[in-house]
C-alpha cells in the first residue's frame, strides 16, 4: 500500500505546515537566521548559538559514550522479547517445519531401514550420517534466508538510528529461535536413529542429538 501511505504522509505534512506550531517555528527560525542585533550589527557566533540553543541538537540525557540511549541488557531484552513475539505470532510456520522434518526423517529412515554392521551396512550408515548433516545444514539455512531478507531493511534502519548494537540483535534473535532449532534436530534424530539401526544406547543417541543440534544452530548462525 505504498501509494496510499505516501498520500497519507503528504496529508499529515500539509496539515502540519498550516498549523500554529509550524508558523511559530518558521517565525523563530527566520529571526535566528537574521543573525543581526540592534542597528544591523552582526552578532558574534557564540551569541547566535546561545540565542538559538533550543533549536540545536543537544546531547541526549542518558546516552553513554557509545551513543546508545539504552544499556546493553535493555537492548538485548527488547530484541529478545520482540523476536520471541514474532515466533509466537506464526505458530503454523512452526507446525509446518516440524511436520516437514518428520516427513524427511521418515523418508531417510525408510531408505536406510535396519542396517547391519557388515561391509555394505557400514557404507550405508556413512551415507545416512552424511544426510544427517546435509539435511540439518540446508534445511535450516533456507529457513533463515526468508527471515533475513524480510528483516534486513528494518535492521539497517534501526541500526543506523543507533537503537541497538549488532551483537544484541544477533544474540536476541538467535536465542528467541533456539527452541525451534532444538526441536527440529530432536524430531529428526529421534525418528531416523532407531529406524536406521544406529548404535544402541542412550549415551550414543544423546551424542548424535548434540552434534546434529550444533550443526543446525551453526548453519542458522551462518
Amino acid at each position: 500500500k505504498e501509494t496510499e501511505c505516501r498520500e497519507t504522509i503528504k496529508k499529515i505534512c500539509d496539515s502540519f505546515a498550516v498549523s500554529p506550531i509550524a508558523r511559530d517555528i518558521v517565525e523563530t527560525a527566520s529571526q535566528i537566521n537574521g543573525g543581526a542585533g540592534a542597528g544591523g550589527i552582526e552578532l558574534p557566533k557564540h551569541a547566535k548559538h546561545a540565542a538559538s540553543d533550543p533549536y540545536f541538537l543537544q546531547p541526549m540525557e542518558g546516552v553513554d559514550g557509545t551513543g546508545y540511549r539504552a544499556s546493553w541488557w535493555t537492548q538485548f531484552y527488547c530484541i529478545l522479547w520482540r523476536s520471541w513475539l514474532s515466533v509466537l505470532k506464526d505458530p503454523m510456520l512452526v507446525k509446518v517445519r516440524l511436520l516437514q522434518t518428520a516427513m524427511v526423517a521418515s523418508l531417510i529412515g525408510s531408505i536406510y531401514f535396519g542396517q547391519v554392521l557388515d561391509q555394505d551396512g557400514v557404507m550405508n550408515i556413512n551415507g545416512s550420517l552424511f544426510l544427517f548433516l546435509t539435511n540439518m545444514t540446508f534445511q535450516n539455512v533456507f529457513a533463515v534466508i526468508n527471515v533475513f531478507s524480510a528483516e534486513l531493511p528494518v535492521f539497517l534502519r534501526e541500526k543506523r538510528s543507533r537503537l541497538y548494537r549488532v551483537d544484541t540483535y544477533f544474540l536476541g534473535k538467535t536465542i528467541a529461535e533456539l527452541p525451534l532449532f532444538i526441536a527440529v534436530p530432536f524430531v529428526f534424530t529421534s525418528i531416523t536413529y532407531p529406524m536406521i539401526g544406529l548404535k544402541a544406547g542412550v549415551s550414543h543417541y544423546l551424542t548424535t542429538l548434540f552434534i546434529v543440534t550444533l550443526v543446525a544452530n551453526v548453519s542458522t548462525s551462518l
Side-chain angles (χ1 to χ4, degrees):
K1 300 183 179 180
E2 183 176 353
T3 304
E4 181 181 342
C5 290
R6 289 184 180 278
E7 291 176 356
T8 304
I9 292 171
K10 188 176 183 303
K11 290 178 182 177
I12 294 173
C13 293
D14 292 343
S15 300
F16 176 78
V18 297
S19 67
I21 297 176
R23 286 197 296 269
D24 291 343
I25 291 175
V26 171
E27 183 179 348
T28 305
S30 61
Q31 292 174 0
I32 294 171
N33 289 335
I41 300 173
E42 185 73 16
L43 291 173
K45 180 181 273 190
H46 65 83
K48 290 183 187 178
H49 284 188
S52 58
D53 243 0
Y55 301 97
F56 280 83
L57 288 176
Q58 302 297 318
M60 293 186 296
E61 183 180 351
V63 175
D64 57 16
T66 59
Y68 296 98
R69 182 184 293 270
S71 66
W72 191 96
W73 285 108
T74 303
Q75 296 175 34
F76 172 72
Y77 172 78
C78 292
I79 292 295
L80 177 63
W81 180 245
R82 186 175 74 173
S83 301
W84 178 243
L85 289 180
S86 67
V87 172
L88 296 179
K89 186 175 64 177
D90 199 357
M92 182 57 66
L93 180 62
V94 177
K95 295 177 182 177
V96 168
R97 287 207 58 197
L98 292 177
L99 179 61
Q100 175 190 5
T101 302
M103 293 174 63
V104 172
S106 301
L107 178 62
I108 295 176
S110 301
I111 294 173
Y112 293 97
F113 185 80
Q115 296 299 316
V116 294
L117 286 178
D118 54 17
Q119 187 63 36
D120 292 336
V122 170
M123 296 301 295
N124 290 335
I125 289 174
N126 281 339
S128 66
L129 294 179
F130 174 76
L131 286 178
F132 265 63
L133 300 180
T134 54
N135 183 71
M136 282 296 99
T137 299
F138 292 109
Q139 179 181 349
N140 290 292
V141 164
F142 288 121
V144 174
I145 283 178
N146 292 329
V147 176
F148 182 80
S149 59
E151 294 196 4
L152 182 61
V154 178
F155 166 76
L156 291 176
R157 183 175 69 245
E158 295 177 343
K159 177 66 177 66
R160 292 190 187 109
S161 301
R162 301 191 73 76
L163 294 180
Y164 48 74
R165 297 169 173 81
V166 176
D167 55 348
T168 54
Y169 175 83
F170 177 78
L171 290 174
K173 189 74 179 170
T174 302
I175 293 175
E177 297 183 352
L178 190 60
L180 179 60
F181 292 117
I182 291 177
V184 168
F186 174 77
V187 171
F188 182 83
T189 308
S190 299
I191 294 174
T192 53
Y193 197 93
M195 289 183 69
I196 296 173
L198 298 176
K199 193 169 184 178
V202 176
S203 61
H204 302 300
Y205 164 77
L206 292 178
T207 302
T208 306
L209 177 60
F210 177 69
I211 294 173
V212 172
T213 304
L214 283 181
V215 170
N217 283 275
V218 167
S219 62
T220 301
S221 301
L222 178 65

